[in-house]
Amino acid sequence: MSHDPHTHGTAAVALDPTDPHGATHHEHVIIPRSTLMNVLLVLLFFTLLTVGLSRAEVWAAGFFGIEIPQWVNVAVAMSIAIVKGLLVLLFFMQLKYDNKLNAIIFANCIFAVGLFLFFSMTDLGFRGVVYEWKKGEISLGGTGGVSRGAGDHKETISGNVTHFAREKYLALWGPEKFEHIRASVKHDHPHGADANTANLSRAITGQTGALSATAPTHSAGGHAPSADGHAAPAGDHPPEAPASHDAPKDAPPTGGH
Amino acid sequence: MTTLDINHGPDGATGRPYHETYKPASHFRSKDEEFDAVKIGMWLFLATEVLLFAGLFVGYAIFRMMHPEAFRNGSHYLDWKWGCLNTIVLLFSSWTIATSIGNAQRNEQKKLRRNLLITVACALLFVGIKLTFEYMPKWSGWFIAFDPALSHYESDTSALGGLLHHVPGYGGKRPGSLFDYPFAENPYEPMWWSIYYCATGIHATHVLIGVGLISWLYIRARKLHFGPGHYTAVEVVGLYWHIVDLIWIFLFPLLYLIH
């Protein structure tokens, strides 16, 4: 406080080391009028400066065709705004003279805002990089275009890697030796040459046995419970009754009956 | 009643003003301790205010990054002269309220009241400029007769005895689904107006709350509530008013100046 010409107020409470709420009070500071006036003048100057620079940029673009990159405009305008904000915080809001705890509270808040802004902007700013990688066509066995190995063993895979391997060894061994080796390593494989089982799989998600395509489909009308909860007699639904008995003669008698 | 205005009224025994006989709330050992506690509470509140506006600033940054052309067009619709004038009005009012704290500390009652009144007047002027010259024409196409911008446009209708003039095709610059402006050049321009009205509207609401708070200070100052012995309310309302100014210091270049 040595630099503050005017202090005022009751003397600070004497420090009692045994008191957990030990006196931490700061002297009340009366900020000189001249300081406040100077800060106001600097703030007004910076306001006119930022407006002037913005106008100059528009003017330069209009008369000379000089396009100043947008990040420069943003950086200049935001730098001036930060300087103005600091002046308001330090002098008008008295953080310069105040209990440092208040400044720490505010600095932490600004840090949180910084994190918020930083991660939002890096997320959005690098979306393009991710999309470039994601937009490639997805194909079985990979898209190829990959180099592997080194020296004499260096090879570039084009297209499907399983085809690449097959063609590579066909060329290396010739068709006859290729078939011989295949018979020796795959002789008792149950699927024979058809190694790809992908087309044998089928989606079963969300289905129960009774609702699957192989289940009888004739139960829809005839066996639906009526509104009072009893199974409806066949006579209640004459048009549907015959159809329900004719339907799939080869289907196993499952459910309902 | 908060700790700020407990023990209302002059001291019956001596007739001395409130600020001379002020006693802190019973759970504080001294006036200074109370002053510090109140101020820390205010700073915590100001931190939440900053975080409220941080959401708007990040929203602005994200949408500007996604639709730079719309935001470029949008900021061209705003007149930097009104933004600049309002910045000066707010900075000046920040100075008057900062000075009013010194007035209370020096027991300059007349100057204290005058500075508080000027601050309220500036706050009302700010909202008045915003509503009359910015929101109203952009939203509806109606201009007030003495708006200098009116000379650039052709008015077809007038109302209220010539006080208002309507310019066809100017209005309708509204947020989101309310958008009704026929000459937009970018499909995302309603997004710009959403950000513009949300950010400046929430800020203007804070200005109006400030009008209420500073008027309350003025009424109390007339009753000699503030002086060297007690000026906590002037100080914390001053902090609130400065944060309103601080937010505008960032809103002004972001909305009006960056093209």
Side-chain angles (χ1 to χ4, degrees), chain B residues 2-6 18 22 34 38 216 220 230 232-233 236:
Chain B
T2 65
T3 54
L4 295 180
D5 41 23
I6 207 164
Y18 175 74
Y22 179 79
E34 183 186 71
V38 169
W216 170 68
R220 291 189 61 190
H230 178 64
T232 312
V236 294

Side-chain angles (χ1 to χ4, degrees), chain B residues 23-42:
Chain B
K23 289 187 181 56
S26 59
H27 48 285
F28 293 110
R29 286 184 308 187
S30 67
K31 282 196 290 189
D32 288 341
E33 202 176 82
E34 183 186 71
F35 179 82
D36 279 354
V38 169
K39 226 172 153 180
I40 284 174
M42 192 64 194

Side-chain angles (χ1 to χ4, degrees), chain B residues 55-64 71 175-176 189-201 251 255:
Chain B
L56 289 163
F57 285 126
V58 171
Y60 167 93
I62 286 175
F63 290 127
R64 174 147 217 151
F71 275 61
E189 279 180 31
M191 181 85 86
W192 152 267
W193 292 112
S194 297
I195 292 282
Y196 169 77
Y197 281 106
C198 277
T200 59
L251 279 181
L255 295 175

Side-chain angles (χ1 to χ4, degrees), chain B residues 199-222:
Chain B
T200 59
I202 294 175
H203 179 264
T205 308
H206 279 77
V207 173
L208 287 176
I209 293 168
V211 168
L213 290 172
I214 300 162
S215 303
W216 170 68
L217 289 185
Y218 175 74
I219 292 165
R220 291 189 61 190
R222 280 175 59 118

Side-chain angles (χ1 to χ4, degrees), chain A residues 10 19 25 28-29 33 98, chain B residues 29 32 36 39 108 231:
Chain A
T10 49
D19 180 1
H25 185 74
H28 290 232
V29 178
R33 291 173 219 272
D98 208 354
Chain B
R29 286 184 308 187
D32 288 341
D36 279 354
K39 226 172 153 180
E108 299 163 340
Y231 55 91

